């Protein structure tokens, strides 16, 4: 983790320590997002948008500090780990209350973790490694593993498919009453208009300073309003006019328009992450490994990135799952399989696959405009290779719903920040849309996940990457930088892949 932190700290994406000292309290912040979240239940969704909103009112036992180390949040401290890495004993913070006024206890935590293992893709991923989760006493929880599982704490800390803590009596599925422990609480949701959060006066911050997503979280604002703005041009104009105090996910070509304005200023996260084409390995055209490899051989990553981001200031060609400078960086498996753009090789693979001309359904959204632009370029390259293509352009909420049904798509387009633990990558979970489940995957991923020695894990990750290139459950397109915008009136905003607004105030 510390080696990884060095890479993150070299760019704007490093999470600043921050401090709420001498900041004003009060005020309302309007945040423009890429659309309406499909749910406010962070367990059942891997959509970043859901995590961005719900991290303000739901919390996890652990989170990540400014150096991307796991740090306690609702837990009092990091767990005591015994029995060769198989037993995690977790002490809970005292005095934490839910938004309904009830005190958080170990019963709530155990019930929440069991719900997470039943419903969340990352919870299901973890459940097979867990023997039991039990109450030790009202302020202590014990997790007993079947064998050592290195990603456990990172999975418990992640805000995506998140192991959030809810009251034991308020865990309906689907969730009907979102009640958490966070610095803000949900007051009102008007679909396609806004999600209104208000300060939770009963919130008890951790002591000390802010530290990335960890440390003290202080609810300084009266309200945070998340406003869905699906059209990227409308988000740009809303930033320029000052209509919104923070605007998430702007097209990078708007950078020159906003960089010298009085009403807003750019927030550039560099490096941010990677766009990815996820394959439906369960059924349909992409269930055939040769068809998936044909897609890989057909595509020009360079042309897709250029169409999506324009200037090379905002993207770079890179087949490795992590860029140079990260402890996880490896070129293993990429040789001759990245940015090939060879229609003849693709045609040969299609012939081997006995492809019958059935359209490849590419599921994408214009709310992330760069997804759509890459899909347009990809479609042309796939047609050259002999594929028939059906582009399905939907809103992001619909995409996240459709991708859960294997009968409805063949490829969907998404993106991810560079995550501190590779096990957090969604495509590694057999229950994540794409449903990659093969003996080679199991052997490589299990070896990586069960190795607790940090010095040995990078080489094992390289083996996972090799299998990903051979079996092609997904295709990384390259590396990219992300652009957002914020009002100069905001104080305390720390550039982060999932923007947050505790410890943020409005200058008066």
């Amino acid at each position: 983790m510390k080696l990884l932190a060095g890479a993150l700290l070299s760019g704007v994406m490093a999470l600043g320590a921050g401090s709420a000292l001498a900041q004003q309290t009060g005020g309302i912040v309007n945040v423009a997002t890429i659309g309406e979240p499909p749910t406010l239940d962070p367990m059942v969704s891997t959509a970043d948008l859901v995590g961005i909103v719900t991290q303000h009112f739901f919390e996890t036992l652990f989170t990540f500090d400014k150096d991307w180390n796991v740090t306690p949040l609702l837990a009092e401290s990091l767990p005591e780990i015994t029995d060769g890495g198989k037993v995690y004993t977790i002490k809970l913070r005292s005095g934490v209350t839910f938004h309904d006024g009830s005190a958080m206890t170990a019963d709530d935590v155990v019930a929440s973790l069991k719900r997470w293992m039943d419903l969340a893709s990352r919870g299901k991923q973890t459940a097979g490694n867990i023997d039991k989760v039990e109450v030790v006493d009202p302020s202590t929880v014990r997790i007993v593993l079947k064998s050592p599982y290195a990603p456990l704490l990172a999975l418990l800390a992640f805000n995506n498919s998140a192991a959030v803590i809810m009251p034991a009596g308020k865990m309906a599925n689907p969730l009907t009453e979102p009640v958490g422990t966070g610095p803000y609480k949900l007051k009102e949701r008007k679909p396609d208009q806004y999600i209104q959060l208000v300060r939770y006066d009963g919130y008890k911050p951790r002591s000390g300073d802010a530290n990335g997503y960890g440390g003290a979280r202080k609810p300084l604002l009266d309200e945070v309003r998340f406003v869905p703005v699906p059209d990227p041009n409308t988000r740009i104009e809303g930033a320029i006019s000052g209509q919104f105090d923070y605007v998430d996910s702007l097209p990078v070509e708007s950078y020159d328009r906003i960089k010298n304005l009085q009403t807003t200023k750019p927030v550039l996260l560099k490096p941010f992450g990677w766009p990815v084409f996820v394959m439906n390995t369960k059924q349909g055209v992409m269930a055939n490994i040769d068809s998936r490899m044909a897609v890989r051989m057909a595509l020009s990553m360079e042309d897709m990135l250029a169409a999506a981001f324009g200037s090379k200031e905002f993207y770079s060609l890179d087949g490795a799952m992590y860029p140079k400078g990260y402890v996880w960086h490896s070129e293993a498996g990429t040789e001759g399989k990245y940015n090939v753009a060879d229609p003849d090789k693709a045609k040969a693979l299609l012939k081997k696959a006995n492809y019958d001309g059935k359209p490849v359904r590419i599921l994408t959204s214009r709310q992330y405009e760069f997804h759509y632009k890459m899909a347009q370029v990809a479609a042309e390259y796939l047609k050259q290779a002999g594929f028939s293509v059906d582009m399905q352009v939907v809103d992001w909420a619909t995409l996240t719903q459709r991708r859960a049904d294997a009968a409805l798509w063949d490829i969907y387009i998404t993106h991810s920040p560079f995550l501190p633990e590779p096990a957090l990558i969604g495509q590694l979970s057999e229950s994540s849309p794409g449903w990659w489940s093969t003996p080679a995957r199991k052997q490589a991923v299990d070896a990586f996940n069960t190795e607790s020695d940090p010095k040995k894990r990078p080489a094992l990750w390289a083996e996972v990457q090799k299998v990903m290139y051979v079996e092609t459950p997904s295709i990384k397109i390259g590396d990219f930088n992300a652009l957002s915008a914020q009002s100069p009136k905001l104080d305390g905003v720390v550039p982060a892949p999932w923007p947050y607004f505790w410890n943020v105030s409005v200058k008066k």
Side-chain angles (χ1 to χ4, degrees):
M1 268 321 175
K2 291 182 179 177
L3 291 172
L4 170 63
L8 290 174
L9 286 167
S10 68
V12 183
M13 197 167 87
L15 304 178
S19 174
L21 293 175
Q23 286 179 284
Q24 302 281 345
T25 57
I28 299 171
V29 166
N30 290 289
V31 180
T33 65
I34 61 102
E36 181 73 16
T39 178
L40 292 182
D41 184 349
M43 286 194 189
V44 302
S45 177
T46 58
D48 283 344
L49 176 58
V50 174
I52 288 170
V53 175
T54 61
Q55 66 184 340
H56 293 81
F57 52 89
F58 280 125
E59 293 181 315
T60 46
L61 291 171
F62 307 98
T63 187
F64 295 104
D65 69 15
K66 65 181 179 63
D67 296 331
W68 293 99
N69 296 307
V70 173
T71 190
L73 182 55
L74 289 176
E76 178 61 38
S77 57
L78 291 175
E80 178 188 4
I81 304 175
T82 55
D83 193 17
K86 292 194 295 184
V87 176
Y88 287 63
T89 303
I90 302 168
K91 294 293 292 184
L92 306 177
R93 289 172 58 205
S94 62
V96 174
T97 59
F98 292 105
H99 298 153
D100 62 3
S102 62
M104 181 191 75
T105 70
D107 288 326
D108 302 305
V109 173
V110 168
S112 297
L113 294 180
K114 288 180 177 179
R115 183 180 190 271
W116 178 65
M117 290 188 289
D118 286 342
L119 300 180
S121 63
R122 289 187 174 87
K124 293 174 184 178
Q125 172 185 345
T126 309
N129 302 284
I130 292 180
D131 180 37
K132 57 184 175 181
V133 181
E134 59 187 1
V135 173
V136 177
D137 59 47
S139 62
T140 311
V141 169
R142 182 184 294 127
I143 300 174
V144 180
L145 301 176
K146 297 174 183 175
S147 59
Y149 186 61
L152 178 62
L153 289 184
L155 285 159
L156 291 175
F158 201 28
N159 74 348
N160 182 292
S161 187
V164 296
I165 307 305
M166 310 172 176
K170 296 183 177 177
M171 321 197 150
N173 180 37
L175 194 63
T176 55
E177 188 181 357
V179 176
T181 60
Y184 293 92
K185 61 181 181 180
L186 179 66
K187 182 177 182 182
E188 185 176 26
R189 180 185 188 183
K190 288 197 171 182
D192 299 316
Q193 294 185 51
Y194 60 81
I195 296 170
Q196 181 189 20
L197 309 184
V198 296
R199 179 193 298 113
Y200 174 44
D201 290 327
Y203 186 72
K204 180 182 178 183
R206 296 189 69 91
S207 59
D209 292 332
N211 186 355
Y213 291 98
R217 295 181 169 189
K218 297 184 180 179
L220 302 175
L221 301 165
D222 292 330
E223 290 185 21
V224 182
R225 288 196 178 207
F226 292 94
V227 182
V229 185
D231 182 68
N233 291 319
T234 305
R235 292 202 297 279
I236 294 169
E237 297 305 323
I240 292 171
S241 69
Q243 177 184 1
F244 302 113
D245 302 293
Y246 191 95
V247 182
D248 192 34
S249 190
L250 289 176
V252 294
E253 58 265 27
S254 65
Y255 180 78
D256 287 338
R257 290 189 63 193
I258 66 175
K259 66 181 180 181
N260 295 316
L261 297 179
Q262 299 293 318
T263 52
T264 195
K265 61 182 182 180
V267 179
L268 187 63
L269 284 82
K270 181 179 181 179
F272 177 79
W274 43 288
V276 59
F277 284 24
V278 179
M279 307 295 186
N280 182 350
T281 69
K282 192 173 187 179
Q283 69 181 79
V285 177
M286 291 300 123
N288 183 290
I289 190 171
D290 292 313
S291 294
R292 299 198 299 273
M293 185 58 73
V295 173
R296 186 185 287 287
M297 292 294 105
L299 294 178
S300 168
M301 280 55 171
E302 187 168 12
D303 284 356
M304 285 191 289
L305 290 167
F309 301 107
S311 169
K312 288 188 177 181
E313 181 181 0
F314 295 102
Y315 74 87
S316 61
L317 282 168
D318 186 4
M321 297 301 291
Y322 284 84
K324 290 180 179 178
Y326 284 69
V327 68
W328 307 114
H329 173 73
S330 171
E331 300 290 340
T334 65
E335 301 86 356
K337 295 188 180 75
Y338 177 74
N339 193 38
V340 180
D342 188 328
D344 292 333
K345 286 184 178 179
K347 287 176 181 176
L349 285 160
L350 279 185
K351 185 177 181 180
K352 184 181 175 185
N354 295 315
Y355 174 61
D356 61 3
K358 188 175 182 180
V360 174
R361 297 159 297 173
I362 300 179
L363 191 57
T364 189
S365 172
R366 297 200 71 165
Q367 285 164 262
Y368 292 109
E369 186 72 6
F370 68 97
H371 292 187
Y372 174 70
K373 289 178 177 178
M374 286 189 298
Q376 287 181 303
V377 174
E380 297 308 311
Y381 275 96
L382 294 179
K383 289 173 186 175
Q384 288 179 26
F387 283 103
S388 175
V389 177
D390 175 14
M391 281 268 288
Q392 299 188 359
V393 185
V394 298
D395 63 85
W396 187 247
T398 299
L399 185 150
T400 62
Q401 291 167 351
R402 284 194 188 179
R403 70 185 180 187
D405 187 340
L408 298 180
W409 61 278
D410 299 298
I411 299 172
Y412 83 84
I413 300 175
T414 185
H415 66 272
S416 172
F418 294 115
L419 301 170
E421 162 60 58
L424 299 175
I425 296 172
Q427 291 84 58
L428 297 190
S429 170
E430 292 175 296
S431 62
S432 182
W435 303 284
W436 181 35
S437 179
T438 67
R441 184 218 73 89
K442 178 174 175 54
Q443 182 178 350
V445 172
D446 285 358
F448 174 69
N449 285 342
T450 56
E451 178 55 66
S452 57
D453 185 344
K455 293 180 180 178
K456 295 179 180 178
R457 297 188 78 226
L460 292 169
W461 168 246
E463 294 301 312
V464 176
Q465 182 173 285
K466 281 184 188 178
V467 178
M468 293 180 79
Y469 264 88
V470 169
E471 299 197 342
T472 311
S474 59
I475 299 176
K476 179 190 174 183
I477 308 305
D479 301 339
F480 78 104
N481 305 328
L483 179 66
S484 298
Q486 74 168 74
S487 167
K489 296 185 297 183
L490 293 187
D491 185 32
V493 174
V494 176
W498 305 282
Y500 55 87
F501 300 95
W502 55 83
N503 300 333
V504 171
S505 62
V506 178
K507 297 175 185 175
K508 297 179 181 179

